[in-house]
Amino acid sequence: MEAISSDTQSAAAADGGFNVLTPEAWKALLSPYSHIVLVANSEAVDFGRLRSELPETALYVFFNNVYKVLDEPFAGHAVLIARSGVMGANIVHRREVVDVLRFFAGDDFLGVVNIRVSPEENFSDESGFKGARTRHLDLTQMLGDLYPVDKIATSGFAMALWLAELQLPGKILLAGFSAKRSEKWKVFDVHDWTFEQIFLRLFARMGTISMMGGVDVSPYAALAKRFPQVPPIEIAMTAAEVLSERLHNANGQIDRLMSVTKSIRAIEGFFRRFKPKTRKQRFLEKSKE
């Protein structure tokens, strides 16, 4: 499968020397694929099922630290999404580019897409990606009035929304988007996981995207089948009532835990003051001078 032509690349918009493609160029690059599969860094990803059910014309979209889901080099069409932070692409300033790119090789690898989703995030130059073909994608305007205030969208959510708006001929499939913390990998509180899951599941029920390994079937669909005489809004309100009571009870237990661990947290806070500053903290302090 051919990558985007050099003529189309030269027609791409340029912004400060970064390779920022036009929407038309992105469509030309991605339209040949029958499926666009967004692979979350999650233990919920079932690669055996993905590879057995999808054709070879599928494009797999990986994110940042792919060693969380890959044990060996990936054989298939792939692209790597490199999320930016205030210091540039995270895998660049953390010096993880070599560790990540070793999972991809050959003509089937489309390269790296360095994305930013908020004004505080900054792109990295192509030179930081150790020779990999690099494109840049700015999603700040798309998410500006949509995402909850004081939270930052995950890369997977941002890409799913952007791909849906491109209206590609191929199907968009999300793999492993469960938003659940596992024993091995955590989820970060800077993202609004509840909002994202609601948004993505509505997208899935509208048929805009498909989801695998997270929300194959709604557990409440069985209630609608068992009580066809009950309006859907009543089922939703009853479910919300039960969930509200369970959340209230859980908050009571959390309050007790906070009280019991007060002395432990005080000791931890004391020793944290002696922890050396990270490179990111030093960078932010220097940028304010």
Side-chain angles (χ1 to χ4, degrees):
M1 187 169 295
E2 295 182 358
I4 188 171
S5 67
S6 58
D7 291 340
T8 310
Q9 286 190 37
S10 64
D15 182 10
F18 298 121
N19 188 12
V20 183
L21 304 189
T22 63
E24 292 75 17
W26 281 116
K27 292 189 72 171
L29 176 65
L30 300 175
S31 290
Y33 299 98
S34 61
H35 298 74
I36 310 293
V37 188
L38 276 65
V39 183
N41 288 333
S42 166
E43 293 174 346
V45 175
D46 187 345
F47 261 112
R49 179 181 173 187
L50 282 174
R51 301 310 294 269
S52 64
E53 294 184 2
L54 298 178
E56 294 183 357
T57 51
L59 173 68
Y60 293 82
V61 181
F62 294 93
F63 298 88
N64 294 314
N65 305 127
V66 295
Y67 47 75
K68 294 181 179 181
V69 290
L70 293 177
D71 297 322
E72 58 185 7
F74 182 76
H77 301 289
V79 64
L80 175 68
I81 304 301
R83 175 66 176 270
S84 277
V86 294
M87 297 177 66
N90 293 326
I91 62 173
V92 172
H93 82 78
R94 292 173 184 166
R95 301 183 179 93
E96 298 171 334
V97 174
V98 174
D99 292 334
V100 172
L101 291 183
R102 66 184 176 87
F103 289 96
F104 308 105
D107 296 335
D108 289 339
F109 180 49
L110 290 185
V112 177
V113 180
N114 183 197
I115 70 168
R116 64 193 291 257
V117 304
S118 72
E120 293 78 18
E121 297 173 350
N122 298 295
F123 287 136
S124 285
D125 293 328
E126 185 172 1
S127 59
F129 295 97
K130 308 299 182 182
R133 179 186 299 176
T134 305
R135 303 173 178 90
H136 297 84
L137 180 60
D138 192 338
L139 302 178
T140 55
Q141 290 187 350
M142 181 190 73
L143 294 164
D145 297 328
L146 172 67
Y147 208 80
V149 180
D150 298 329
K151 295 289 184 178
I152 302 175
T154 64
S155 301
F157 174 81
M159 288 299 297
L161 179 58
W162 175 73
L163 287 168
E165 291 191 349
L166 271 185
Q167 297 183 341
L168 299 168
K171 296 181 179 179
I172 302 170
L173 174 63
L174 309 189
F177 280 62
S178 64
K180 297 177 181 177
R181 178 177 184 143
S182 68
E183 293 183 4
K184 198 172 183 181
W185 310 115
K186 64 181 179 180
V187 296
F188 293 96
D189 191 47
V190 295
H191 310 303
D192 193 325
W193 298 98
T194 301
F195 173 82
E196 292 194 7
Q197 282 294 305
I198 293 172
F199 197 106
L200 293 175
R201 294 185 191 200
L202 287 174
F203 251 14
R205 290 182 178 126
M206 289 170 56
T208 307
I209 62 173
S210 298
M211 301 184 74
M212 178 187 291
V215 285
D216 285 336
V217 179
S218 169
Y220 297 103
L223 294 175
K225 292 181 180 179
R226 178 62 180 82
F227 302 104
Q229 71 278 17
V230 180
I233 186 62
E234 290 295 332
I235 295 177
M237 291 182 65
T238 302
E241 178 185 345
V242 174
L243 291 174
S244 177
E245 291 178 0
R246 289 182 59 81
L247 180 60
H248 176 74
N249 293 334
N251 283 337
Q253 297 300 317
I254 292 172
D255 286 342
R256 290 183 60 189
L257 285 172
M258 294 296 289
S259 177
V260 171
T261 60
K262 184 177 180 180
S263 58
I264 298 176
R265 287 183 285 111
I267 295 173
E268 180 189 27
F270 173 78
F271 283 105
R272 275 184 177 274
R273 291 184 297 175
F274 302 100
K275 185 178 179 180
K277 294 180 179 179
T278 63
R279 290 197 302 130
K280 181 177 179 180
Q281 289 173 327
R282 295 196 300 269
F283 174 83
L284 290 174
E285 289 180 356
K286 187 175 180 179
S287 64
K288 293 178 180 178
E289 293 178 356

